[in-house]
Amino acid sequence: MEPLTPRPIQARDLQSWLQDDRPDPLLVDVREDAELDLARFPADVLHWPLSRSDAWLESVPQQLADGRPVVVICHAGVRSLHLGLWLLQQMPELEVWNLERGIDAWSVHVDSSVPRY
């Protein structure tokens, strides 16, 4: 059996999802505090910085209990992919998406007011 992997989603497709009539996904941002200070995602997110996983790891099942699709975000899409893989290992029933090329792609393709770094 092949391992589960997060579905890729492009920045413009995520923007459309957030603007259409479908229920919004749960957005999880794994970047560090300093990165959020530089470039915040322009929607509500759960902030799970990977370097402080000990602070949020135990609460993951409760925070994802509503069954909404999850979109994981980072700077370039690599750290979010890793968290997405881990989420699917722990909770294979989840619908997990990875924002391809991360907040940088969001800045380039959707909202240039979000600074690039």
Side-chain angles (χ1 to χ4, degrees):
M1 184 169 138
E2 286 189 36
L4 296 172
T5 59
R7 300 175 189 182
I9 189 165
Q10 301 295 318
R12 287 187 180 138
D13 295 329
L14 178 55
Q15 178 192 33
S16 295
W17 188 353
L18 294 172
Q19 293 175 341
D20 69 19
D21 292 336
R22 292 181 289 171
D24 284 347
L26 184 61
L27 303 171
V28 175
D29 195 325
V30 302
R31 296 177 297 145
E32 301 302 318
D33 292 336
E35 292 177 282
L36 267 61
D37 290 344
L38 288 171
R40 289 209 176 266
F41 192 82
D44 290 335
V45 300
L46 287 177
H47 183 214
W48 293 353
L50 292 181
S51 68
R52 295 196 324 264
S53 61
D54 57 324
W56 51 261
L57 198 60
E58 287 185 23
S59 68
V60 167
Q62 294 85 7
Q63 292 189 62
L64 303 182
D66 67 4
R68 283 194 292 166
V70 175
V71 177
V72 189
I73 301 164
C74 70
H75 178 244
V78 177
R79 289 174 287 173
S80 55
L81 175 63
H82 288 285
L83 181 69
L85 289 165
W86 180 83
L87 285 173
L88 287 168
Q89 287 175 345
Q90 305 306 307
M91 304 170 75
E93 70 281 4
L94 283 178
E95 180 182 334
V96 179
W97 297 79
N98 182 47
L99 179 58
E100 294 280 296
R101 297 186 349 257
I103 193 78
D104 191 60
W106 186 271
S107 177
V108 170
H109 299 292
V110 175
D111 183 358
S112 62
S113 73
V114 174
R116 295 184 73 196
Y117 64 98

